[in-house]
Amino acid sequence: MLFRNLKSGNIVAATDETSIELMQRSAIYEAVEIAPAVAPAPAKAEGKHRKKPAEAETDAPAEVQEG
């Protein structure tokens, strides 16, 4: 069972019955419940990302029009 020390904020794991009873009666410890795991947020759509300018376009030879 997990307990939070109200003075320091640290989490302490009580492993035996005696420790659990003492911490439950103590004024400086508070029992902590474990929250269920939350699923990660879905990935963003590809169209919402900004595209970096392509460097290959600046290296391409320019077309010359003869007239």
Side-chain angles (χ1 to χ4, degrees), residues 31-48:
V32 177
E33 294 183 23
I34 299 173
V38 178
K44 292 183 179 180
E46 294 264 342
K48 293 186 179 181

Side-chain angles (χ1 to χ4, degrees), residues 13-64:
T15 56
D16 59 62
E17 291 297 320
T18 306
S19 298
I20 292 172
E21 289 177 23
L22 289 172
M23 288 180 166
Q24 284 177 334
R25 287 187 274 151
S26 174
I28 64 168
Y29 287 102
E30 174 182 65
V32 177
E33 294 183 23
I34 299 173
V38 178
K44 292 183 179 180
E46 294 264 342
K48 293 186 179 181
H49 294 290
R50 291 186 179 190
K51 294 181 180 178
K52 294 182 181 178
E55 293 179 17
E57 292 178 11
T58 59
D59 295 338
E63 292 184 25
V64 178

